[in-house]
Structures are given as structure tokens and as C-alpha cells.
Amino acid sequence: MRSRLIVGRHRVSEAAMLTPAQLIAARAIVGWTREDLATASGTSRAAIQNFETMGSDSKLGTVAKWRRALEAVGVAFIDMGAQSLTGGPGVRLKK
């Protein structure tokens, strides 16, 4: 059974804490297409598209692969509940 949490309109895994909006923003910040992320993470482009556009209930392992691939190229994820001036989940580049 996968652990899921609904936050506003965003579906978020409690373990990986990744929203569709975060994934889109993370890809944009490093200039990656869905195909680039699919190749780097060893997952399918269709799974990425379904998660981003429909908030599909992706496996936690798949979400973790996306997150690790993006973190490896300098993306830092701001998880829900993390201390932030503006609140909410987000992404940024590491220094």
C-alpha cells in the first residue's frame, strides 16, 4: 500500500514529498525535458507526464528516482512543512 497525502489540489507522497508542480519546476530550473528526466531516472516519459498533468498516483520508488536524478544535478527540494519565509513546497538550485 502506498502512503499518500492530499494537500490542497496537490497529491503528495509522505515519504518523497514531491508535488506535480515541484517536478515541473525542477525540470524547468535545470532545462530538462520529460525525456531527459526519464533517461536520467530510468523511468518512463509517460509516467512523468501522467504525474505532472493528472497527479497520477506514482509508486514511491518512481518518485524517489525522479527526485534523486534532479538532486544529482543541483536541485534542492523544499518539502511541505519545511521552514520557509513563504511556506509551501518548492524547488531551488543548490549553491
Side-chain angles (χ1 to χ4, degrees):
M1 175 190 273
R2 284 176 262 172
S3 181
R4 303 309 264 167
L5 172 69
I6 304 296
V7 179
R9 295 183 349 218
H10 303 288
R11 212 171 216 176
V12 184
S13 76
E14 291 175 342
M17 295 299 286
L18 185 64
T19 67
Q22 281 180 295
L23 188 59
I24 293 166
R27 283 193 310 99
I29 205 167
V30 294
W32 277 11
T33 64
R34 288 181 181 132
E35 191 63 42
D36 294 331
L37 178 56
T39 300
S41 64
T43 63
S44 74
R45 187 199 56 76
I48 296 164
Q49 181 176 354
N50 290 340
F51 182 76
E52 289 180 346
T53 61
M54 297 181 283
S56 66
D57 191 14
S58 296
K59 294 179 181 176
L60 291 178
T62 301
V63 173
K65 287 178 183 180
W66 297 334
R67 186 171 176 138
R68 281 193 305 266
L70 288 159
E71 287 174 336
V73 293
V75 173
F77 289 91
I78 304 165
D79 293 328
M80 181 64 69
Q83 193 168 11
S84 170
L85 295 177
T86 58
V91 298
R92 65 178 168 225
L93 283 175
K94 296 177 186 173
K95 290 184 178 184

